[in-house]
Amino acid sequence: MIGFLSKRLAQSLLVMLIMSALVFVAVFAIGNPVDVLIDPRATQAEINAAMKALGLDQPFWMQYKTFLANLVKGDVGNSWVYNESALKIMMQRLPATLELAISALVIAIVVGIPLGAYAGLKPDTPSARFIMGSSILSFSVPAFWVGLMLIVIFGVKLHWLPIAGRGETISVFGIPFSFLTLDGLSHLILPAFTLSLSRIGMVIRLVRSGVREVLGQDYIKFARAKGLKESRIVRVHVLKNALIPVITVMGADFAGLLTFAVVTETVFAWPGMGKLIIDSIAMLDRPMIVAYLMVTVLIFILVNFIVDVLYAVIDPRISLTGAKS
Amino acid sequence: MSALLRVENLHTHVVLKDQTIKAVNGVSFSVAPGEIVGVAGESGSGKTLTGMSIIGLTQSPIKIISGNIQLDGDDLRSASPETLRKLRGQKIAMVFQDPMMTLNPVLRIDVQMMEMINAHEKVSKSEARTRCVTALAKVGIPEPERRLHQYPHELSGGMRQRVAIATAMLLSPKLIIADEPTTALDVTVQAQILKEMQALCKENGTALIWITHDLAVLAQIADRIVIMYDGKIVETGTAKQILLKPKHTYTQSLLASLPKAAPDADKGKHIVTDSAPTLIKLTNVHKTFGKQSGLLGKFAQRLRLTTAPLITDAVIDANIDIKRGEIFALVGESGSGKSTLGRLACGLLQPTGGRVEYNGVESFRPKTQNAKQARLAVQMVFQDPQSSLNPRMRVLDIIGQAPLAHGLVSRANLEDYVSKQLERVGLDISIKDRFPHEFSGGQRQRISIARALAVNPKVLILDEAIASLDVSIQAKILNLLAKLRNELELTYIFISHDLGVVEHISDRVAVMQKGRIVETGPTREIFANPKHIYTQTLLNDVPRIDALNHI
């Protein structure tokens, strides 16, 4: 286990390093941020002073060196727009996105697993066919359209649910959460459902194919030959095996859910990281973009690590050290 | 004595959209309490579906159309699903072929055994546990307490099959249906399980239906034998009657296709003299699997951060010469290293240590001068003709690919060339545009052989090449191999776990155990007078029909 951890840590650091270089080069190539930031009537002397203040007069490699040195200290610089630590602003926005993504994941699992299991167990029934057809539809329609339709129906026409912002929040350990208040929860429903829709389809399809595959296995026949009740066969023997791929795929997908909630956040004016990055790109706020990308990479690494550990916990045949037990 | 199980005029069909296959077509037989009945037949004879019909586990598209199944006073055909479920496990249980697949990989053994008891009886957890321990001990599993805590992948194939048998016997059913329960196991393990099951059935008065393709196994265990062919029973009788004085021609032909050690005269064996040149020579060959730790890994081990990686010695210090024209057999149980040795002998694997020579030159090392030539000269035929033929390639490409790549034939003449190869193995060029899945197992193996021969090799390595085929097909492929050897002056390395076939076909044999060659010599000598203790057990454990003569 320790061997696995240390190996994984070394790999992660390498990934972070490569990513930082890529991010830096890409952001550097976008253009001179001073042109955007500064008053167009500024004199050349003022522009030069601003460039010096931001460190942009240095050669490229010097800038990268400073950047790396600061990164090691956990400092990606101050946002040029807000003039505050970019990382701090990121962290203020992270809980909102986290809350949205986790809610979407929970909805996807709670709705997707039963529907997928049903479609796998009774594949020839009309309702199973309907579920499978709907699942294709669910990840075919674009999220922004679904979001807009939900706003029109539930917000504008029916006035059932609010359509923008997080609503009332309660702070736990200094982190604000929406789902703890009724008002916050009602704000959360529409964006979370929008974000989860394509994932529901994915879970349904994964569970269904898993169930279909497991049902054909000899150990299911053996379980039937033992005279077990059908409910136990499904619960214990079928689902436990069929859910293994769901966990790996959904786990890896969760990082994507977190970072690419951009569209949903924009549509519902959800004050998360996604909305922040869109604004920052428009302003060419370089430290903000870098902070976003580095946090994203970190999240991906972390989530994948958790998935690997989970996988080993669930499937006894997998061992983290790689050696056969 | 009234019968325990009575099957009358059973019809089980596979109902597909465009056709109905009468897989079980009017089968009637009975089993007395405590009796062991063998049901034998080749693949497609309906023997497995008969078993599945009795226990009521057929699933769409397989349907029981008509017939009567009476078990100990219960009518299984008219019973409700819930009644049937209660009967399963309590009165009737089943053991399946592949022990790797019959236990759920993500559940511990205790969960899988105790749920059987809980499904039928209300007992406390501790009592259920005690019963599981007793049951495991009965089937000869050492340390049953510890085994209960393990997962299936931590047990060997033989152990897993014992667990399955123990589970089936947990509630002392009146009847156990065993579908090829020892086919996937090594002979020594098979011999143990046969003995154990026989004893357990005697002790508990359990009747047993033993479904198998292997008549020799039935000679060891069965009281009565039912022979099935094409969904029907062709002959029923006591084991002695069926195996020693078969009446039906099909039974006779089944028995005739069992390989027997024929006298040298009809084998048409080449007498390979010592002066024949050595074609393949392995000197002190060693092969290990698993990566050695690199510098960083070793450092991590020093710091106790990691454990040393697992390194397996697959082949240890092997010395063999194979002479031109002989059939050299490699025998051993699974994991003995015989397949690895075969792959080393044709350059598919590189040895970790030692020399592999072809024609006196160490020619399988990559980028050596004769590597290409040597590789062409030594070809391989694999066990599973299903997975060794690319499912997306047509026969013409499968056979023509290698000769084209090596410039043995031009594209213009390819069809003629492939036609010749197919003719050799008894197939016709008309199949050239078909895909592997359109053929039977035997035909596929012929295509594999044609593919190997298409580059004019001198040596064929046959790695369990007939193991997955029915006996009658096995006999045909063996005849084909014998014919080809005479025509093309081939040398064979015949890798097999089936000692009967080896005795029948080979000139010399090497016996392998745990990576080492424990004994080498002329086949007749080794079989008549095995010196090494392992060879003796191996030969002892092979089920034989002639054993009946001595009863």
Side-chain angles (χ1 to χ4, degrees), chain A residues 2-4 6 215 217-219 221-230 232 236-238 240-241 244 314-317 323-325, chain B residues 52 55 57 59 82 85 88-89 92 94 96 98 101-107 111-112 115-116 119-120 151 153 164 167 305-306 310:
Chain A
I2 297 166
F4 170 76
S6 53
L215 276 181
Q217 298 291 331
D218 273 2
Y219 55 79
K221 273 190 235 161
F222 190 57
R224 292 219 162 90
K226 286 195 276 191
L228 301 186
K229 290 209 175 87
E230 198 61 27
R232 179 170 173 95
V236 178
H237 288 267
V238 177
K240 212 169 169 201
N241 282 287
I244 292 174
I314 293 161
D315 193 334
R317 289 165 295 182
K324 234 185 113 202
S325 53
Chain B
M52 295 300 269
I55 196 166
L57 286 178
Q59 275 187 315
E82 181 59 14
R85 176 188 78 73
R88 282 201 290 269
I92 179 169
M94 190 152 182
F96 295 88
D98 190 350
M101 301 300 300
T102 45
L103 298 177
N104 192 330
V106 301
L107 297 177
V111 175
Q112 302 197 44
E115 67 179 2
M116 168 102 164
H120 300 284
Y151 283 99
H153 72 272
T167 312
L305 289 175
T306 55
L310 203 73

Side-chain angles (χ1 to χ4, degrees), chain A residues 2 4 10 28 44 63 74 77 99 123 136 152 159 162 182 228 231:
Chain A
I2 297 166
F4 170 76
F28 196 85
Q44 190 57 42
Q63 287 186 39
E99 184 175 21
I136 295 177
V152 168
H159 294 290
L182 209 60
L228 301 186
S231 62

